Amino acid sequence: MTSAKKGKASPVVSSRKVAEVFEKRHDNVPRDIKELIVDESFGLLNFEESFYINSQNKEQPEYLMTRLGFSVLTMNTTELGIVIEAAPRETYVLPDL
């Protein structure tokens, strides 16, 4: 799956896919993402709010995340969040793939 932002394609994974692979309830994954976003710039660069249509034909929220966003989510450590908040922006911006 890819997302086009500013004319460039970036690899992304959805919070639904993360929930499926890690056998978690999907509603817990966006909650965890919201808790991890300690720096607004980091959040905007690595987590994009989106929606999908569920089996009852209702729009439901999900997140699309970059490789770095996925890594931070799966590590799920407060210490890493603090490091990212303190790090210069250039250290956590992924190069174009």
Side-chain angles (χ1 to χ4, degrees), residues 6-34:
K6 298 180 184 173
K8 297 179 182 178
S10 302
V12 297
V13 64
S14 74
S15 54
R16 288 184 299 140
K17 187 66 173 177
V18 171
E20 175 188 327
V21 170
F22 289 92
E23 299 178 347
K24 291 183 74 173
R25 287 180 31 167
H26 178 253
D27 59 324
N28 291 333
V29 178
R31 179 204 63 207
D32 293 346
I33 290 170
K34 289 175 185 175

Side-chain angles (χ1 to χ4, degrees), residues 5 33 36-48 66-73 80-81 84-85 89 91-94:
K5 282 189 174 182
I33 290 170
L36 284 173
I37 301 174
V38 295
D39 178 274
E40 188 174 329
S41 295
F42 176 79
L44 291 172
L45 288 170
N46 295 287
F47 298 97
E48 178 182 337
T66 64
R67 180 177 55 197
L68 180 58
F70 170 78
S71 296
V72 170
L73 175 65
L80 184 58
I84 288 171
E85 185 174 37
R89 183 174 180 267
T91 62
Y92 56 79
V93 175
L94 292 176

Side-chain angles (χ1 to χ4, degrees), residues 50-70:
S50 186
F51 295 92
Y52 71 98
I53 304 298
N54 69 10
S55 58
Q56 288 93 25
N57 207 28
K58 294 182 179 178
E59 192 174 83
Q60 297 292 318
E62 72 175 342
Y63 277 91
L64 302 178
M65 63 198 87
T66 64
R67 180 177 55 197
L68 180 58
F70 170 78

